[in-house]
Amino acid sequence: MLFTSEYSLKMGIGEALLTAVIGISTVLMILAIIAVLIMLVSKVIRAIEAKTAKTDSPVTAAAGSAPPAAVPLPDTESQGELILENVDEPTAAVIMAIVSNKSGIPLNRLCFKSIKLLEDDKK
């Protein structure tokens, strides 16, 4: 009778809802288990990487492959030279101050190569 046209699934609403709730809760439980497993594997990998980094750091420092420490510029020095084209010094100073303020980089850390006044071609 399973594959005949007379076969019909006689399931009440309560039983159908119970089956749906069991199915959904099973899927959510499996997803939660997978999430916990991912977090555990992540912590194990981080611990292994941290242990490896601790053992590798003296070797790299002794080999001299680490970049040398940067020496900060004094506040009174700047980098490079500036070429002004059709711009006076006060205007260039204002432009440089605005760029420094908006970028959050100290003015003595910025390296301006040139400041040029662009003419409008509108007529």
Side-chain angles (χ1 to χ4, degrees), residues 69-81:
V71 178
L73 284 174
D75 289 337
T76 57
E77 283 187 38
S78 63
Q79 297 183 21
E81 295 180 13

Side-chain angles (χ1 to χ4, degrees), residues 15-101:
E15 192 177 353
L17 286 175
L18 180 65
T19 303
V21 167
I22 290 173
I24 290 172
S25 62
T26 302
V27 169
L28 290 176
M29 186 172 35
I30 291 172
L31 287 174
I33 291 170
I34 290 173
V36 168
L37 287 175
I38 289 173
M39 289 185 337
L40 289 175
V41 169
S42 173
K43 288 184 180 188
V44 168
I45 291 174
R46 284 187 192 144
I48 292 171
E49 286 178 349
K51 187 177 180 182
T52 306
K54 286 180 183 177
T55 59
D56 287 346
S57 61
V59 174
T60 56
S65 62
V71 178
L73 284 174
D75 289 337
T76 57
E77 283 187 38
S78 63
Q79 297 183 21
E81 295 180 13
L82 176 62
I83 299 171
L84 299 178
E85 296 181 31
N86 298 329
V87 179
D88 58 340
E89 287 184 9
T91 304
V94 169
I95 291 171
M96 291 187 292
I98 291 171
V99 170
S100 174
N101 186 23

